[in-house]
Amino acid sequence: MGWEKVYAIDPHLGAPVINHKFSGPTYKQFLDNIKKAKVDRVIVPIRKTSVRARKGWKLPIRMLFIDGDHSIAGVRGDLLDWEPLVSDGGIIALHDAVNPELGPVRGIVNILLRSPRFTNLGVVDSIFYGTKAGKKNWK
């Protein structure tokens, strides 16, 4: 089966979560989860912040998953910095995107929902995603 690579950007340092409890480092759990789901051959973990991972990146991307800093500025930066590298028809997915305590809801509304560059928007659990439209569809 010809599976596409999924680039998963997350420094895995942990963060304050609901009720301001600290989640702790998450990298080992992430690796265990993708192995258990039998997708470890297609998931490419990038253990950096989105900003650090973007420096020097030139490869086109069909599927990008970002667990960013969740601020409005962070979401805006993630989307604007990475969008040119996502192929037409490719997907950007943002983690913790629909819980106002954790996620960048306002940033998503202001950028993804109002942008002609993204279509087929949706939510799965706590992940918000959008498909990059081809330039002919931008208005």
Side-chain angles (χ1 to χ4, degrees):
M1 184 181 289
W3 289 54
E4 297 277 349
K5 294 286 183 191
V6 176
Y7 297 95
I9 300 170
D10 185 341
H12 293 283
L13 300 174
V17 292
I18 296 173
N19 297 324
H20 307 287
K21 293 180 182 175
F22 189 71
S23 69
T26 57
Y27 191 60
K28 182 180 180 328
Q29 183 180 8
F30 178 75
L31 293 177
D32 290 346
N33 287 342
I34 63 174
K35 187 172 184 172
K36 183 178 177 182
K38 297 181 181 173
V39 293
D40 51 320
R41 290 186 179 162
V42 296
I43 306 290
V44 180
I46 300 171
R47 197 174 177 187
K48 297 180 180 180
T49 64
S50 175
V51 171
R52 284 189 54 226
R54 176 63 177 89
K55 288 182 181 172
W57 191 283
K58 292 182 178 30
L59 295 173
I61 299 170
R62 294 271 305 146
M63 176 68 190
L64 176 65
F65 176 87
I66 300 174
D67 191 350
D69 74 6
H70 303 177
S71 70
I72 293 171
V75 171
R76 180 174 174 72
D78 289 345
L79 293 172
L80 297 178
D81 288 350
W82 286 95
E83 183 263 335
L85 293 167
V86 176
S87 305
D88 290 351
I91 296 171
I92 292 179
L94 303 171
H95 189 242
D96 295 330
V98 294
N99 180 337
E101 285 193 52
L102 298 177
V105 176
R106 193 166 25 164
I108 288 170
V109 169
N110 289 336
I111 299 167
L112 280 178
L113 293 178
R114 294 183 178 161
S115 173
R117 290 182 157 95
F118 295 95
T119 61
N120 303 321
L121 304 173
V123 175
V124 175
D125 294 325
S126 66
I127 299 167
F128 190 94
Y129 63 89
T131 301
K132 183 175 174 184
K135 289 183 180 169
K136 65 182 180 189
N137 296 322
W138 298 357
K139 297 175 184 163

Short mmCIF file of all heavy atoms in Angstrom, two decimals, residues 79-106:
data_model
loop_
_atom_site.label_atom_id
_atom_site.label_comp_id
_atom_site.label_asym_id
_atom_site.label_seq_id
_atom_site.Cartn_x
_atom_site.Cartn_y
_atom_site.Cartn_z
N LEU A 79 0.36 28.27 10.48
CA LEU A 79 -0.38 28.16 9.23
C LEU A 79 0.29 28.95 8.11
O LEU A 79 0.44 28.43 7.00
CB LEU A 79 -1.82 28.63 9.43
CG LEU A 79 -2.65 27.73 10.33
CD1 LEU A 79 -3.99 28.37 10.63
CD2 LEU A 79 -2.85 26.36 9.71
N LEU A 80 0.69 30.17 8.37
CA LEU A 80 1.29 30.99 7.32
C LEU A 80 2.69 30.51 6.93
O LEU A 80 3.05 30.57 5.76
CB LEU A 80 1.32 32.46 7.75
CG LEU A 80 -0.06 33.09 7.98
CD1 LEU A 80 0.08 34.52 8.46
CD2 LEU A 80 -0.93 33.02 6.73
N ASP A 81 3.46 30.01 7.89
CA ASP A 81 4.81 29.53 7.59
C ASP A 81 4.80 28.21 6.82
O ASP A 81 5.61 28.00 5.92
CB ASP A 81 5.62 29.33 8.87
CG ASP A 81 6.03 30.64 9.52
OD1 ASP A 81 5.87 31.71 8.89
OD2 ASP A 81 6.50 30.60 10.67
N TRP A 82 3.89 27.31 7.20
CA TRP A 82 3.90 25.96 6.61
C TRP A 82 3.02 25.83 5.37
O TRP A 82 3.27 24.97 4.52
CB TRP A 82 3.49 24.93 7.66
CG TRP A 82 4.57 24.67 8.65
CD1 TRP A 82 4.73 25.25 9.88
CD2 TRP A 82 5.67 23.78 8.51
NE1 TRP A 82 5.85 24.77 10.51
CE2 TRP A 82 6.45 23.86 9.68
CE3 TRP A 82 6.08 22.92 7.50
CZ2 TRP A 82 7.61 23.11 9.86
CZ3 TRP A 82 7.24 22.17 7.69
CH2 TRP A 82 7.98 22.27 8.86
N GLU A 83 2.01 26.64 5.25
CA GLU A 83 1.05 26.50 4.14
C GLU A 83 1.72 26.47 2.77
O GLU A 83 1.34 25.66 1.92
CB GLU A 83 0.00 27.62 4.23
CG GLU A 83 -1.07 27.53 3.16
CD GLU A 83 -0.80 28.41 1.96
OE1 GLU A 83 -0.08 29.42 2.09
OE2 GLU A 83 -1.28 28.07 0.87
N PRO A 84 2.74 27.30 2.48
CA PRO A 84 3.36 27.22 1.15
C PRO A 84 3.99 25.86 0.84
O PRO A 84 4.14 25.50 -0.33
CB PRO A 84 4.45 28.31 1.20
CG PRO A 84 4.01 29.25 2.26
CD PRO A 84 3.30 28.39 3.28
N LEU A 85 4.37 25.10 1.86
CA LEU A 85 5.00 23.80 1.64
C LEU A 85 4.00 22.66 1.50
O LEU A 85 4.36 21.58 1.05
CB LEU A 85 5.96 23.49 2.79
CG LEU A 85 7.17 24.41 2.84
CD1 LEU A 85 7.89 24.27 4.17
CD2 LEU A 85 8.11 24.12 1.69
N VAL A 86 2.76 22.90 1.89
CA VAL A 86 1.73 21.87 1.78
C VAL A 86 1.25 21.84 0.33
O VAL A 86 0.88 22.87 -0.24
CB VAL A 86 0.56 22.13 2.75
CG1 VAL A 86 -0.54 21.09 2.56
CG2 VAL A 86 1.07 22.09 4.19
N SER A 87 1.27 20.67 -0.27
CA SER A 87 0.84 20.51 -1.66
C SER A 87 -0.64 20.80 -1.80
O SER A 87 -1.41 20.60 -0.86
CB SER A 87 1.10 19.07 -2.12
OG SER A 87 2.44 18.70 -1.92
N ASP A 88 -1.04 21.25 -2.99
CA ASP A 88 -2.47 21.39 -3.26
C ASP A 88 -3.14 20.05 -3.00
O ASP A 88 -2.65 19.01 -3.45
CB ASP A 88 -2.71 21.82 -4.70
CG ASP A 88 -2.26 23.24 -4.98
OD1 ASP A 88 -1.91 23.96 -4.03
OD2 ASP A 88 -2.25 23.63 -6.16
N GLY A 89 -4.21 20.04 -2.25
CA GLY A 89 -4.88 18.81 -1.86
C GLY A 89 -4.31 18.19 -0.60
O GLY A 89 -4.85 17.21 -0.09
N GLY A 90 -3.22 18.76 -0.09
CA GLY A 90 -2.62 18.28 1.14
C GLY A 90 -3.39 18.77 2.36
O GLY A 90 -4.24 19.67 2.26
N ILE A 91 -3.09 18.21 3.51
CA ILE A 91 -3.85 18.50 4.73
C ILE A 91 -2.94 19.06 5.81
O ILE A 91 -1.83 18.58 6.02
CB ILE A 91 -4.53 17.21 5.24
CG1 ILE A 91 -5.54 16.73 4.22
CG2 ILE A 91 -5.19 17.45 6.61
CD1 ILE A 91 -6.11 15.35 4.52
N ILE A 92 -3.45 20.10 6.48
CA ILE A 92 -2.84 20.60 7.71
C ILE A 92 -3.78 20.26 8.84
O ILE A 92 -4.99 20.52 8.75
CB ILE A 92 -2.62 22.13 7.67
CG1 ILE A 92 -1.57 22.50 6.63
CG2 ILE A 92 -2.21 22.66 9.05
CD1 ILE A 92 -1.31 24.00 6.52
N ALA A 93 -3.26 19.66 9.89
CA ALA A 93 -4.06 19.31 11.06
C ALA A 93 -3.42 19.93 12.30
O ALA A 93 -2.19 19.90 12.45
CB ALA A 93 -4.14 17.79 11.21
N LEU A 94 -4.26 20.49 13.17
CA LEU A 94 -3.79 21.15 14.39
C LEU A 94 -4.37 20.44 15.60
O LEU A 94 -5.58 20.26 15.71
CB LEU A 94 -4.21 22.61 14.40
CG LEU A 94 -3.74 23.44 13.22
CD1 LEU A 94 -4.41 24.80 13.23
CD2 LEU A 94 -2.24 23.58 13.23
N HIS A 95 -3.50 20.07 16.54
CA HIS A 95 -3.92 19.36 17.74
C HIS A 95 -4.46 20.33 18.79
O HIS A 95 -4.08 21.49 18.83
CB HIS A 95 -2.74 18.59 18.31
CG HIS A 95 -3.11 17.67 19.42
ND1 HIS A 95 -2.61 17.80 20.68
CD2 HIS A 95 -3.95 16.61 19.46
CE1 HIS A 95 -3.11 16.85 21.45
NE2 HIS A 95 -3.93 16.12 20.74
N ASP A 96 -5.32 19.84 19.66
CA ASP A 96 -5.92 20.61 20.75
C ASP A 96 -6.57 21.89 20.24
O ASP A 96 -6.46 22.95 20.84
CB ASP A 96 -4.87 20.98 21.82
CG ASP A 96 -4.33 19.76 22.54
OD1 ASP A 96 -5.08 18.77 22.66
OD2 ASP A 96 -3.17 19.80 22.97
N ALA A 97 -7.25 21.76 19.14
CA ALA A 97 -7.74 22.95 18.44
C ALA A 97 -9.17 23.34 18.76
O ALA A 97 -9.61 24.40 18.36
CB ALA A 97 -7.62 22.73 16.94
N VAL A 98 -9.92 22.53 19.47
CA VAL A 98 -11.34 22.85 19.66
C VAL A 98 -11.72 23.07 21.11
O VAL A 98 -12.85 23.45 21.39
CB VAL A 98 -12.24 21.77 19.02
CG1 VAL A 98 -12.09 21.77 17.52
CG2 VAL A 98 -11.95 20.39 19.58
N ASN A 99 -10.82 22.88 22.03
CA ASN A 99 -11.10 23.14 23.44
C ASN A 99 -10.55 24.52 23.77
O ASN A 99 -9.33 24.72 23.74
CB ASN A 99 -10.44 22.08 24.31
CG ASN A 99 -10.69 22.28 25.78
OD1 ASN A 99 -10.98 23.38 26.24
ND2 ASN A 99 -10.56 21.21 26.55
N PRO A 100 -11.41 25.49 24.11
CA PRO A 100 -10.92 26.85 24.39
C PRO A 100 -9.88 26.91 25.50
O PRO A 100 -9.06 27.81 25.52
CB PRO A 100 -12.18 27.61 24.78
CG PRO A 100 -13.31 26.83 24.23
CD PRO A 100 -12.85 25.40 24.19
N GLU A 101 -9.88 25.95 26.42
CA GLU A 101 -8.87 25.95 27.48
C GLU A 101 -7.50 25.54 26.96
O GLU A 101 -6.47 25.89 27.52
CB GLU A 101 -9.27 25.00 28.62
CG GLU A 101 -10.37 25.55 29.49
CD GLU A 101 -10.50 24.73 30.76
OE1 GLU A 101 -9.48 24.53 31.45
OE2 GLU A 101 -11.62 24.31 31.05
N LEU A 102 -7.48 24.76 25.90
CA LEU A 102 -6.22 24.24 25.37
C LEU A 102 -5.87 24.81 24.01
O LEU A 102 -4.70 24.93 23.67
CB LEU A 102 -6.29 22.72 25.20
CG LEU A 102 -6.51 21.87 26.43
CD1 LEU A 102 -6.62 20.42 26.02
CD2 LEU A 102 -5.37 22.06 27.40
N GLY A 103 -6.88 25.05 23.22
CA GLY A 103 -6.62 25.23 21.81
C GLY A 103 -6.77 26.62 21.27
O GLY A 103 -7.29 27.52 21.90
N PRO A 104 -6.29 26.76 20.07
CA PRO A 104 -6.25 28.04 19.37
C PRO A 104 -7.52 28.29 18.57
O PRO A 104 -7.49 28.57 17.38
CB PRO A 104 -5.06 27.86 18.44
CG PRO A 104 -5.09 26.39 18.13
CD PRO A 104 -5.56 25.71 19.39
N VAL A 105 -8.68 28.20 19.20
CA VAL A 105 -9.95 28.29 18.50
C VAL A 105 -10.06 29.59 17.70
O VAL A 105 -10.42 29.58 16.53
CB VAL A 105 -11.14 28.14 19.47
CG1 VAL A 105 -12.46 28.34 18.75
CG2 VAL A 105 -11.09 26.78 20.15
N ARG A 106 -9.76 30.72 18.32
CA ARG A 106 -9.91 32.00 17.64
C ARG A 106 -8.94 32.10 16.45
O ARG A 106 -9.30 32.62 15.40
CB ARG A 106 -9.69 33.16 18.61
CG ARG A 106 -10.14 34.47 18.03
CD ARG A 106 -10.25 35.55 19.04
NE ARG A 106 -9.40 35.35 20.20
CZ ARG A 106 -9.09 36.29 21.06
NH1 ARG A 106 -9.56 37.50 20.91
NH2 ARG A 106 -8.32 36.03 22.09
#
